[in-house]
Amino acid sequence: MSAHTYRALLHWAGSTADGIRTYAREHTAHAPPAAQELRLSADPAFRGHPELLNPEQLVVMAASSCQLLSFLAVAARAGVDVLAYDDEATSRLDLTAEPARLTSIHLNVTVRTAPGTDPAEIERLGAQAHRECYIANSLAVPVEVTTTRSGPPGES
């Protein structure tokens, strides 16, 4: 497979003349050719706006999204019918570490599949997807994945 190149454009404007407490943390980012522009800020603990995404959330979301896409690919190759996929991804910023950093990213995945799918197969595919996830393979912070299967409504 050939290499892929990714580009992101970020913009901030304002002034830091009045010091650390007053400058705006809001900025925009987009990644051509995608048309969507994101409005971003710092974590509220660092004087950011809570209604805007922050870089730490984006890292956690990237790990979660990559795991989803990797899982769907390995499941499709294995002939497993995935009906829904949900993940509650979490991490924590450790300010006592030198340097400060995100702790492990935990992906708590629940996969709903067609009737008769072996739960052990879903766990195996989750582990395979994790090994194939480009983002998890690129991060210094560990990404831990728990994958469980739920059947369709009414399946016992």
Side-chain angles (χ1 to χ4, degrees):
M1 183 184 288
S2 66
H4 297 270
T5 302
Y6 301 96
R7 184 177 127 206
L9 303 173
L10 188 129
H11 176 74
W12 174 88
S15 174
T16 59
D18 291 331
I20 189 95
R21 289 184 164 78
T22 60
Y23 67 86
R25 273 56 174 185
E26 300 80 36
H27 54 285
T28 60
H30 72 281
Q36 181 181 17
E37 181 176 273
L38 294 175
R39 289 183 53 226
L40 304 168
S41 187
D43 182 298
F46 305 109
R47 296 184 174 83
H49 286 289
E51 64 273 5
L52 298 178
L53 292 170
N54 64 58
E56 296 81 10
Q57 290 170 314
L58 293 175
V59 170
V60 174
M61 290 166 95
S64 178
S65 178
C66 186
Q67 178 69 21
L68 160 71
L69 296 170
S70 296
F71 185 86
L72 294 176
V74 298
R77 286 194 302 263
V80 172
D81 186 9
V82 176
L83 305 174
Y85 180 108
D86 293 288
D87 181 11
E88 183 177 346
T90 59
S91 187
R92 190 175 55 81
L93 185 61
D94 183 355
L95 296 174
T96 64
E98 275 297 322
R101 60 184 293 130
L102 290 174
T103 62
S104 298
I105 297 172
H106 299 275
L107 307 181
N108 188 19
V109 176
T110 302
V111 178
R112 188 163 47 91
T113 61
T117 306
D118 182 3
E121 175 72 354
I122 297 306
E123 289 179 26
R124 186 189 69 72
L125 292 173
Q128 180 182 348
H130 179 55
R131 288 190 302 276
E132 294 182 15
C133 175
Y134 306 140
I135 299 299
N137 291 333
S138 301
L139 294 173
V141 61
V143 178
E144 300 167 355
V145 181
T146 303
T147 306
T148 56
R149 177 196 177 264
S150 71
E155 183 184 65
S156 49

